[in-house]
């Protein structure tokens, strides 16, 4: 970026966004729990059930599934399809950024 006087200006925001990182981590955690339960880890069974309800919820309040998808510019239907598929999730690299 260049300021109006021709000097170099620091970007207003870093490419690392802690807010979006938190939202990605919330979403990623649900996939981790899902995969642990599928591997037979019953310690996370109650969280898995809560996560499944979270993915089906139509709630749009802060930190709801739909709200997180909106803030991360993700298509909720695609994320739901990935979550409920038999495929192990490959979390995109940018989710961890």
């Amino acid at each position: 970026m260049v300021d109006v006087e021709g000097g170099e200006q620091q970007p207003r925001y870093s490419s690392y966004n802690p807010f979006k990182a938190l939202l990605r981590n919330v979403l990623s955690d649900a996939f981790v729990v899902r995969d642990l339960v599928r591997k037979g880890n019953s310690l996370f069974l109650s969280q898995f059930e809560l996560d499944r309800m979270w993915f089906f919820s139509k709630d749009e309040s802060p930190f709801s599934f739909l709200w997180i998808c909106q803030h991360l510019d993700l298509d909720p239907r695609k994320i739901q399809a990935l979550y409920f598929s038999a495929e192990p999730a490959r979390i995109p690299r940018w989710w961890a950024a």
Side-chain angles (χ1 to χ4, degrees):
M1 296 178 74
V2 176
D3 68 14
V4 292
E5 296 174 4
E8 213 170 318
Q9 182 182 15
Q10 292 294 323
R12 181 177 278 169
Y13 302 103
S14 163
S15 62
Y16 175 76
N17 183 324
F19 172 71
K20 287 191 175 187
L22 174 63
L23 299 183
R24 287 190 298 266
N25 286 338
V26 169
L27 192 54
S28 295
D29 184 66
F31 282 90
V32 169
V33 168
R34 179 202 71 170
D35 291 344
L36 286 170
V37 169
R38 285 183 177 175
K39 290 178 183 176
N41 190 330
S42 61
L43 292 174
F44 295 95
L45 197 52
S46 62
Q47 184 60 50
F48 174 68
E49 292 302 323
L50 291 171
D51 290 349
R52 287 174 52 90
M53 291 186 314
W54 183 71
F55 274 96
F56 280 121
S57 174
K58 300 297 181 199
D59 183 12
E60 293 184 13
S61 63
F63 292 95
S64 66
F65 170 70
L66 294 175
W67 186 87
I68 286 176
C69 286
Q70 178 185 5
H71 282 80
L72 293 178
D73 295 321
L74 298 172
D75 180 344
R77 292 177 303 242
K78 287 182 181 179
I79 301 300
Q80 286 170 329
L82 177 62
Y83 182 81
F84 291 105
S85 74
E87 300 285 324
R90 289 193 200 121
I91 304 299
R93 189 171 240 213
W94 59 266
W95 278 20

